[in-house]
Amino acid sequence: MEGKEEDVRLGANKFSERQPIGTAAQVPEDSKDYHDSPPAPLFDPSELGSWSFYRAGIAEFVATFLFLYITVLTVMGVVKSPTKCSTVGIQGIAWAFGGMIFALVYCTAGISGGHINPAVTFGLFLARKLSLTRAVYYMIMQCLGAICGAGVVKGFQKGIYDGNGGGANVVAAGYTKGDGLGAEIVGTFILVYTVFSATDAKRNARDSHVPILAPLPIGFAVFLVHLATIPITGTGINPARSLGAAIIYNKSHAWNDHWIFWVGPFIGAALAAMYHQIVIRAIPFKTKDYY
């Protein structure tokens, strides 16, 4: 055990915290024990002829379909009850969203990356983790999956669905549109920042002595954001989720604030991508002749 503890101590201190500003907190390039993937091309025609490209899109469709199916059903079960004590309540709704993200990211990460959210896809695209072609394809499949998932819920219980808001995101009474936009920006920032941190090659190498299952912190971030912002907007932080519920519910008030659930998540995702790439990883400051 002494040898193992020594390995852990060395692993925890391999990457020094004392680094000059603007150097990406790096060690020399030839001594790194991890490798960053090269930036994805803006457009890669070869993807369109690959079955793995289409398989990934199908995985995003199915995952988002299942996500909406379970979460909107959970919401309907809570709002239709005259007393919240007989249901899972807001905490249960938050667990449904966070738990489904955990399960679905775990299932699809090896196929598509397990985005299940256009905002996540947008943030990863800005960081050059995937091509524009794949990003647009993913977003389309995610939105289609969300529409189908909400549609199946309405098919099960149309009266309850139409009479209880259909799980559509709206800014709650007592809050302004600015409040709703701010909640969506910060909530999505937390989610996308967690995605970047949980999948960072350098972090995985540095903390290799600490086993971390990436879907777990991602799902937990979704859970916590829902606990905080369900009373404000119902918690979007996922434009596909908001679009699917709004289209199937299709009442005017569901569309009045709908722009918030696209603009907010996209701004939050962009800020998270910039923060992680520029501040945390300092990638624009990398230089080959640093040493």
Side-chain angles (χ1 to χ4, degrees), residues 105-266:
V105 171
Y106 179 84
C107 292
T108 60
I111 302 171
S112 65
H115 299 186
I116 321 170
N117 185 336
V120 172
T121 300
F122 180 65
L124 293 173
F125 164 69
L126 292 181
R128 301 290 302 278
K129 304 294 184 182
L130 70 165
S131 67
L132 177 62
T133 313
R134 187 173 291 262
V136 172
Y137 177 50
Y138 276 15
M139 291 181 191
I140 292 172
M141 297 301 281
Q142 290 158 358
C143 290
L144 291 176
I147 294 168
C148 292
V152 170
V153 175
K154 183 175 182 178
F156 282 171
Q157 43 188 27
K158 187 176 187 302
I160 294 173
Y161 186 90
D162 288 336
N164 292 281
N169 290 119
V170 296
V171 177
Y175 294 95
T176 66
K177 294 186 189 311
D179 296 332
L181 181 63
E184 290 295 303
I185 291 173
V186 176
T188 311
F189 178 93
I190 294 169
L191 169 59
V192 178
Y193 176 41
T194 303
V195 170
F196 274 103
S197 296
T199 58
D200 190 330
K202 178 178 179 179
R203 182 186 183 92
N204 291 338
R206 182 189 63 197
D207 298 335
S208 59
H209 62 289
V210 182
I212 296 177
L213 185 63
L216 182 58
I218 296 171
F220 201 65
V222 172
F223 164 70
L224 293 174
V225 171
H226 275 76
L227 280 183
T229 60
I230 282 176
I232 303 174
T233 61
T235 309
I237 66 171
N238 183 335
R241 173 261 186 271
S242 301
L243 179 67
I247 286 179
I248 300 302
Y249 182 57
N250 200 28
K251 300 290 177 65
S252 60
H253 67 275
W255 294 107
N256 291 339
D257 302 326
H258 186 70
W259 64 271
I260 290 172
F261 302 100
W262 284 86
V263 175
F266 273 45

